[in-house]
Amino acid sequence: MLLRIAASVVWAESLVFGVLVVLDAADLSGKRIGIGIGAAVLLAIYGAGQAWAAWRVMKGDGWARSPLIVTQFIQLLLAWNLRTSEVPWLAALMAVAAVLTLGCLLAPPATRALGRHTAV
């Protein structure tokens, strides 16, 4: 159950990255076309990577938990940076999602579920 919750939150975050890619691509202009395309590609790769890792965690692959934990810590740092911005509610939402995901991924039952090894 904890892994499903974590994966669901990460998939929602990945969808947000997809929306950001579309919005960034729609806002391309002559002066910032290189930066815009680069940012869109980076966001697309980041979101797709998170979605893939969440899917692999749901399949029971323990290695996929590490990239998800790293990205959630990055998200906490971004939320901290955004806390004094014009959208403090976004910082709070990002922090809550990251803490919820980290709590689910680092909980002992999730660790036991992902730590199972089959005999070779």
Side-chain angles (χ1 to χ4, degrees), residues 98-110:
V99 168
L100 176 65
T101 303
L102 286 170
C104 289
L105 289 173
L106 296 174

Side-chain angles (χ1 to χ4, degrees), residues 20-92:
L20 289 174
V21 167
V22 171
L23 291 174
D24 192 44
D27 191 39
L28 290 177
S29 64
K31 290 185 177 182
R32 63 174 292 272
I33 196 160
I35 292 172
I37 291 172
V41 168
L42 182 65
L43 288 173
I45 291 170
Y46 190 78
Q50 273 195 302
W52 184 66
W55 180 62
R56 295 313 307 169
V57 161
M58 285 296 298
K59 295 290 185 185
D61 290 341
W63 63 266
R65 182 172 68 160
S66 297
L68 293 179
I69 289 171
V70 169
T71 58
Q72 297 310 304
F73 278 121
I74 291 169
Q75 185 167 314
L76 277 175
L77 293 172
L78 289 172
W80 180 258
N81 192 37
L82 285 174
R83 77 189 187 289
T84 58
S85 71
E86 296 175 6
V87 285
W89 61 268
L90 181 60

